[in-house]
Amino acid sequence: MTMSPAVITRVSFSRRLKDRVVLGLVWLAFAVAVVPLISVLWLVIKNGIARFDLEFLTHSMRNIGARDAGGGAYHAILGTLEQVGLAALISVPVGLLTAIYLVEYGQNRQLARSISFFVDVMTGIPSVVAGLFVLAFWVLVLGLGYSGFAGALALSILMMPTVVRSAEEMLRLVPNDLREASYALGVPKWKTITKIVFPTAFTGIITGVMLAIARVAGETAPLLLTVFSTDSINEDPFNGPQMGLPLYVFDQAQRPNVTAVDRAWTGALTLILIVMLLNLVARLIAWWRSPAKGR
Amino acid sequence: MRRPAFRRSRGEGPFRFATTGAGVVVLAIMAAIAVFLIVKAIPALQANTSSFLAEKIWTPNATEPKFGIAALAFGTVISSLLALIMALPVAIGVALFISHYAPRRLAGALGYVIDLLAAVPSVVYGLWGVIFLIPFVQGPYTFLNDYFGWIPLFAGDAVYGKSIMTGSIVLAIMILPIIAAISREVFLQAPRALEEASLALGATRWEMIRMSVLPFGRPGVISAAMLGLGRAMGETIAVALIFPATFDITFKVLSNNGNSIAANIANGFGEATPIGQGALIASGLVLFVITLVVNTAARLIIARRKEYSRAAA
Amino acid sequence: MAKQIEVSDLDAYYGSHKAIEGITMTIEPRSVTAFIGPSGCGKSTFLRTLNRMHEVIPGAHVDGKILLEDQDLYGPDIDPVSVRRTVGMVFQRPNPFPTMSIFDNVAAGLRLNGRISKSEAEGIVETSLKDANLWNEVKDRLNKPGAGLSGGQQQRLCIARAIAVSPAVLLMDEPCSALDPISTLAIEDLIAKLKNDYTIVIVTHNMQQAARVSDRTAFFNLAGQGQPGKLVEMDETSKIFTNPTQKATEDYITGRFG
Ligand SMILES: Nc1ncnc2c1ncn2[C@@H]1O[C@H](COP(=O)(O)OP(=O)(O)OP(=O)(O)O)[C@@H](O)[C@H]1O
Ligand SMILES: [Mg+2]
């Protein structure tokens, strides 16, 4: 800089220009990111709404000919709800208990460190590999066949690390003061955890669990390898192939008929609605809790 | 030395056992994944009549099974890298936009938009890619091919739209939110004092960002990029719908080529014989190892950064 | 109810770091004992050994002997959890349980330690809040969150919570340092009242407060940087503040260091 004492000079033109160019680029980046989202949402709504009717929500694809219109995704929606529900039932308890172990009991033990490491590894497992594992273990080695439950197993492997990590984060946010206050009352550690620490972290944990559920609800690849696929309603997740909504979309999108592609769009719309609803609920819970924190 | 012995409270023992047990279950699952994938892959690998690592074609269902990972691994890596190259600048721009440019009110809402982008299931992107994007890109591809075909990258027959490039575009859209979200997080953590110091020196906003935000955020952004890369490599359904499932190793990214380990599993699973399934499982193992390496690298970078920022605190 | 505490040759460690060394003292029942001394000399550490809260910290442990009346607190078959039920504690920063109402906060110790009937709980909550001089201020909003009270009220709530489990000893670690003068006075009055029923130990950095509320005072000091803290002397509060035996005590009290 030149010495110009006490004179307010304008920033040089080239520097201002650079600043402006970057501003433009940053805006452009944002636009570029948003355009596909709008395009996807717009097309899903536009193409999906046509078949988003009562028949779609209440009928399966049984006895629907290759070129026929009509038919629906009832079997797939039912399957998805069952599979995701079972996956949550498996992964949430294991995930929460693991998080409690890591935060409250693990301290710096070797076991805790290796669990933590492998939870990280698990986070990075591609969903298709989780599907392959359940295929190898459940279907091929144990010979238990394709079923909704096999799909739930694969989904729970994908959910577990998310649940552990988010619960862990929430438990660590609970101030140590509260634990000490409880110990000082002569409350045993496990009751301190279940009655003081856990309730304090509860809404945060629920938010994390909902987000984890929303994430696996849209998974297709693991289902493809484990629940197989069917056009009929199968209410029993423990026996025989089922359908899942993401799988339904994949299946219909590959069929060469316009009627099938229409159903794929509607399936996608339904799937997005379910996932967004789960996300919304999670955010509402988080939002509902946050103002209380300050008070 | 005495240990904290809460041994007398009934309930303490069972509860502690349950939590430790859950942790051990996680370890057991990881071990089981490795063991069962390997166990089911071995018979197929033994039946293979060509080199699993060097072979390009994939005919494990034939009476003389012949399959190799070469073309698939190449497709996985090239399509993911291409996706990363496209997504990274945009993601950094988006992250900067949210952390330093957007009005404060808007920033929160935009963060949600990014999360929303991340929440769209991959099969939806796949559907969008097949029905909308493939016809849409045929024009631009033909243009590139006509005028820039002398560049090897754009050579080949580019009229189909089903190509490595199209898959990469979809992958880029899919990994953009995660890279943007992590980058935003690290940009927001840049020490305010440093930012204010550079503004006080008379820096413009861009100079301030270049001087104090970007250097601080670099390791975080690099690891975000690696995590994104890992995601792209494992992504299955969207690319299974888009790639034409060829088994070539080619850099002609606009031509009617493209495949990946994950896409091959999704597409080949339906008609796989036991050997075929074993072959797919073997390829899944390779995918697992590749993503593990990428993710571990990302985590090491993050861990290093944490140490650094703690020292600075 | 109130009990005497006898400490002999007590050392406390954080991992391999020895924080306090060779503490021997007797804490009289039905009286207030104040701990004073420069920052880092181990007052809190020592206080926390008295109800075995020290060992909650990973790697922390204790050597030596503490007798409560005739029971060895560190005896082989003593459950630390039950020790803490007998020796209660109030912390520097008020820490009501955020998910609980005022009522539930006071009843927490009772409920988490075993089942009690609703009417029993109501009775104990009322007497505890009255003993803590808080009843009149909160009796109309017992179901509101405890975190909604002012800092001074929260601290009294924590005292009520501590005395609800009817301990024999009450340990207080700088209970007023986060409070305004008026709330401080309220707590000091409360301490004066509670000493009729409890053995009270209070850590404070406020010399006037020590002089006002305590019957006996113990002065702790560090022998040097990185060395463990030690008990320098302990005597009647009036004696410590007017005519201490040790030079270090006099220097500290008159503000020449610390
Ligand atoms: N959790 C801990 N881990 C390791 N060392 C600790 C821990 N808590 C305290 N110490 C160390 O033990 C020594 C005594 O600390 P303590 O908190 O008992 O001092 P204090 O007299 O209460 O100080 P203050 O008046 O500031 O509260 C100090 O050297 C401190 O650094
Ligand atoms: Mg202290």
Side-chain angles (χ1 to χ4, degrees), chain B residues 1-2 4-9, chain C residues 55 62 76-77 79-81 84:
Chain B
M1 181 169 142
R2 286 194 185 87
F6 293 96
R7 57 182 109 76
R8 290 277 219 76
S9 164
Chain C
E55 63 205 66
V62 171
D77 47 299
D79 180 10
V81 173
R84 292 177 207 137

Side-chain angles (χ1 to χ4, degrees), chain A residues 217-232:
Chain A
E219 286 289 354
T220 319
L223 298 187
L224 187 67
L225 305 176
T226 52
V227 311
F228 217 63
S229 177
T230 170
D231 280 342
S232 319

Side-chain angles (χ1 to χ4, degrees), chain C residues 43-44 92 173-174 203:
Chain C
K43 304 179 296 292
S44 302
Q92 183 170 357
D173 194 350
E174 302 183 41
V203 174

Side-chain angles (χ1 to χ4, degrees), chain A residues 39-59:
Chain A
S39 165
V40 168
L41 291 182
W42 166 243
L43 285 174
V44 167
I45 294 171
K46 191 185 94 179
N47 296 329
I49 206 85
R51 283 288 344 261
F52 195 65
D53 50 27
L54 210 58
E55 187 188 358
F56 186 82
L57 296 175
T58 56
H59 286 70

Side-chain angles (χ1 to χ4, degrees), chain B residues 226-299:
Chain B
M226 305 279 277
L227 287 178
L229 189 65
R231 278 276 175 89
M233 288 173 160
E235 179 46 49
T236 309
I237 285 303
V239 289
L241 283 167
I242 290 168
F243 283 149
T246 57
F247 290 90
D248 283 323
I249 293 182
T250 172
F251 286 98
K252 297 172 187 163
V253 295
L254 301 184
S255 68
N256 192 26
N257 271 302
N259 209 344
S260 76
I261 297 176
N264 184 54
I265 294 171
N267 287 326
F269 174 71
E271 56 255 23
T273 60
I275 293 295
Q277 289 177 335
L280 294 177
I281 287 173
S283 72
L285 257 173
V286 174
L287 174 63
F288 187 19
V289 172
I290 297 178
T291 51
L292 188 63
V293 168
V294 171
N295 288 329
T296 308
R299 234 174 289 120

